[in-house]
DNA sequence: CACCCGGAAGCCGT
DNA sequence: AACGGCTTCCGGGT
């Protein structure tokens, strides 16, 4: 039997498989995906991004919340996995990549006391890469919704983030990886460990392209015209510019300036524009760090995005 | 008018 | 102190 943990830390989706050979259990997979689906339909209204947190309290059921609307408050919990007792803490981690001016920054984080974060990061890449295209994975997308959502319990007297984080990063645990595992040194961006970043108030360090990608998920002021091509259209230039200005604390932002920002991306080929059209720009998926792809040139639409879509 | 273009320079957080 | 990633301004274009 294998256990699947699906953890989403802030804006980094993570899948962690427990066991020497990472294998997805049908049950767990279907459960997690259908909960997502269910949650999405019943409460998301397509407005927010898909963020989630794993709640091991309830027999491995899952909680999904959007940290922006439903910030995960610090709480403790514990669970058993393959005979091992894990303690975990969820918390908000200020300042990572928050994207909405109406909220104080709330990247939600889940920290598992006894799990090596590097291992999680490794699994995140590895597992998604290996299994996202499999048949059972696809099938489970259509499975019946799983009804039960559990709600997190809140707790007030918990240590501060810094305290909690210290010592967790390289915890003494349990490297259950088989010996021949090699970290993929590949193309991924450095920032994958945003969870470890202490972060600052506000969100000045948001990048334009991440902001756009995030807004594209919402599809309100910008929308995909062809996600496989990376092309998208600005629906409401003034509104999107206003949001961007908010985020960067630039109150005189406008589309002129925002688009100048985009044009800087042309040089590197990160983005481009199709000629003869207005307000239609293009992401070059190949140059978008994997983690942020909503469509992968090799594999098609990203799992998370399929669900959210 | 609304958008598109890139050079030049300034700003600001790391 | 240097640098990335814009922001601001601009003259010119569709």
């Amino acid at each position: 039997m294998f256990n699947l943990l699906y953890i989403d830390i802030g804006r980094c989706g993570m899948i962690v498989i427990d066991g020497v050979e990472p294998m997805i259990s049908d049950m767990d997979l279907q459960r997690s995906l259908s909960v997502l689906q269910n949650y999405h339909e019943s409460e998301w209204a397509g407005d927010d991004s898909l963020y989630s947190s794993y709640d091991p309290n309830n027999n491995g059921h899952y909680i999904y919340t959007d940290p922006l609307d439903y910030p995960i408050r610090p709480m403790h919990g514990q669970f058993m996995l393959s005979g091992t007792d894990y303690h975990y803490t969820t918390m908000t981690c200020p300042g990572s990549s928050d994207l909405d001016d109406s909220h104080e920054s709330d990247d939600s984080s889940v920290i598992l006391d006894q799990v090596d974060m590097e291992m999680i990061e490794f699994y995140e890449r590895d597992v998604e890469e290996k299994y996202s295209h499999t048949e059972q994975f696809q099938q489970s997308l259509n499975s019946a919704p799983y009804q039960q959502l559990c709600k997190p319990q809140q707790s007030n007297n918990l240590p501060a983030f810094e305290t909690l984080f210290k010592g967790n990063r390289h915890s003494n645990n349990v490297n259950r990886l088989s010996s021949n595992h090699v970290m993929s040194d590949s193309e991924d961006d450095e920032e994958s460990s945003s969870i470890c970043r202490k972060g600052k108030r506000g969100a000045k360090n948001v990048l334009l392209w991440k902001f756009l990608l995030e807004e594209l998920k919402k599809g309100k002021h910008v929308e995909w015209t062809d996600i496989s091509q990376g092309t998208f259209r600005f629906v409401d230039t003034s509104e999107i510019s206003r949001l961007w200005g908010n985020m960067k604390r630039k109150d005189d932002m406008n589309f002129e300036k925002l688009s100048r920002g985009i044009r800087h991306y042309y040089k590197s080929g990160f983005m481009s524009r199709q000629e003869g059209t207005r307000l239609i720009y293009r992401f070059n998926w190949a140059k978008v760090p994997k983690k942020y792809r909503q469509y992968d040139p090799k594999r098609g639409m990203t799992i998370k995005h399929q669900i959210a879509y």
Side-chain angles (χ1 to χ4, degrees), chain A residues 235-253:
Chain A
V235 179
D236 187 339
T237 53
S238 58
E239 189 55 18
I240 195 85
S241 309
R242 197 189 60 76
L243 288 173
W244 175 236
N246 266 120
M247 186 142 320
K248 296 296 290 289
R249 306 277 152 85
K250 297 280 183 185
D251 26 8
D252 42 359
M253 180 51 62

Side-chain angles (χ1 to χ4, degrees), chain A residues 11 82 111 119 146 162 182 188 201 208 221 243 307:
Chain A
R11 285 172 165 71
S82 304
I111 290 183
M119 182 179 87
Y146 185 75
E162 288 81 359
V182 185
D188 256 7
R201 215 126 277 298
L208 177 55
H221 312 304
L243 288 173
I307 299 164

Side-chain angles (χ1 to χ4, degrees), chain A residues 37 70 125 142 205 231 261 279 282 302:
Chain A
Q37 220 156 23
Y70 190 59
R125 293 190 212 99
N142 304 318
N205 49 351
T231 55
L279 300 176
R282 188 178 80 93
T302 302

Side-chain angles (χ1 to χ4, degrees), chain A residues 85-132:
Chain A
D85 205 6
Y86 289 93
H87 296 259
Y88 72 99
T89 304
T90 68
M91 64 196 67
T92 63
C93 168
S96 304
S97 52
D98 199 26
L99 293 163
D100 191 329
D101 56 305
S102 59
H103 300 84
E104 285 288 48
S105 152
D106 330 276
D107 255 16
S108 64
S109 303
V110 177
I111 290 183
L112 299 169
D113 292 355
Q114 297 177 33
V115 173
D116 187 325
M117 296 313 286
E118 281 176 5
M119 182 179 87
I120 292 180
E121 282 165 41
F122 168 77
Y123 272 139
E124 177 199 4
R125 293 190 212 99
D126 191 46
V127 171
E128 187 172 339
E129 200 138 70
K130 278 185 182 158
Y131 296 98
S132 62

Side-chain angles (χ1 to χ4, degrees), chain A residues 267-282:
Chain A
K267 203 170 177 181
S268 63
F270 184 73
M271 286 177 82
S272 60
R273 213 177 68 80
Q274 70 189 56
E275 268 184 79
T277 57
R278 305 183 119 206
L279 300 176
I280 295 185
Y281 294 77
R282 188 178 80 93

Side-chain angles (χ1 to χ4, degrees), chain A residues 276-293:
Chain A
T277 57
R278 305 183 119 206
L279 300 176
I280 295 185
Y281 294 77
R282 188 178 80 93
F283 273 101
N284 182 357
W285 285 129
K287 300 210 175 188
V288 177
K290 258 189 187 172
K291 184 168 64 197
Y292 298 96
R293 287 180 196 166

Side-chain angles (χ1 to χ4, degrees), chain A residues 21-276:
Chain A
E21 280 303 314
M23 288 271 296
I24 288 177
S25 130
D26 287 351
M27 269 292 284
D28 285 340
L29 184 62
Q30 289 190 1
R31 193 180 286 163
S32 66
L33 291 174
S34 54
V35 168
L36 264 179
Q37 220 156 23
N38 187 43
Y39 188 89
H40 175 57
E41 283 166 12
S42 60
E43 303 184 40
W44 239 300
D47 239 357
D48 301 307
S49 305
L50 193 59
Y51 298 122
S52 54
S53 147
Y54 172 66
D55 180 25
N57 264 332
N58 198 340
N59 297 327
H61 297 171
Y62 301 80
I63 295 177
Y64 292 94
T65 65
D66 182 341
L68 296 182
D69 281 342
Y70 190 59
I72 296 173
R73 300 302 175 201
M75 60 180 185
H76 277 326
Q78 66 178 88
F79 65 103
M80 283 280 267
L81 196 62
S82 304
T84 308
D85 205 6
Y86 289 93
H87 296 259
Y88 72 99
T89 304
T90 68
M91 64 196 67
T92 63
C93 168
S96 304
S97 52
D98 199 26
L99 293 163
D100 191 329
D101 56 305
S102 59
H103 300 84
E104 285 288 48
S105 152
D106 330 276
D107 255 16
S108 64
S109 303
V110 177
I111 290 183
L112 299 169
D113 292 355
Q114 297 177 33
V115 173
D116 187 325
M117 296 313 286
E118 281 176 5
M119 182 179 87
I120 292 180
E121 282 165 41
F122 168 77
Y123 272 139
E124 177 199 4
R125 293 190 212 99
D126 191 46
V127 171
E128 187 172 339
E129 200 138 70
K130 278 185 182 158
Y131 296 98
S132 62
H133 62 281
T134 63
E135 211 172 53
Q136 53 168 316
F137 207 98
Q138 298 304 323
Q139 280 171 5
S140 60
L141 290 172
N142 304 318
S143 60
Y146 185 75
Q147 296 304 329
Q148 216 151 4
L149 290 169
C150 37
K151 299 292 177 190
Q153 308 128 5
Q154 299 195 7
S155 168
N156 293 323
N157 34 7
L158 289 166
F161 173 77
E162 288 81 359
T163 320
L164 285 165
F165 184 71
K166 202 180 288 176
N168 275 333
R169 172 108 183 95
H170 299 289
S171 57
N172 40 7
N173 180 39
V174 192
N175 201 348
R176 280 197 243 83
L177 298 177
S178 56
S179 51
N180 57 346
H181 273 129
V182 185
M183 289 298 286
S184 67
D185 56 340
S186 58
E187 74 293 294
D188 256 7
D189 55 328
E190 75 308 325
E191 185 236 12
S192 55
S193 44
S194 59
I195 17 137
C196 334
R197 220 165 49 194
K198 279 234 215 119
K200 308 192 54 178
R201 215 126 277 298
K204 280 220 193 126
N205 49 351
V206 187
L207 301 184
L208 177 55
W209 62 270
K210 289 188 189 178
F211 164 77
L212 290 172
L213 245 23
E214 211 58 35
E215 288 301 317
L216 278 161
K217 282 189 195 167
K218 302 180 186 176
K220 216 169 185 175
H221 312 304
V222 272
E223 64 188 19
W224 292 112
T225 56
D226 183 347
I227 192 169
S228 67
Q229 295 302 303
T231 55
F232 64 95
R233 170 176 40 237
F234 284 93
V235 179
D236 187 339
T237 53
S238 58
E239 189 55 18
I240 195 85
S241 309
R242 197 189 60 76
L243 288 173
W244 175 236
N246 266 120
M247 186 142 320
K248 296 296 290 289
R249 306 277 152 85
K250 297 280 183 185
D251 26 8
D252 42 359
M253 180 51 62
N254 56 34
F255 190 67
E256 281 283 287
K257 295 172 190 169
L258 188 157
S259 62
R260 182 70 191 92
I262 292 179
R263 290 198 296 276
H264 278 305
Y265 291 141
Y266 292 176
K267 203 170 177 181
S268 63
F270 184 73
M271 286 177 82
S272 60
R273 213 177 68 80
Q274 70 189 56
E275 268 184 79

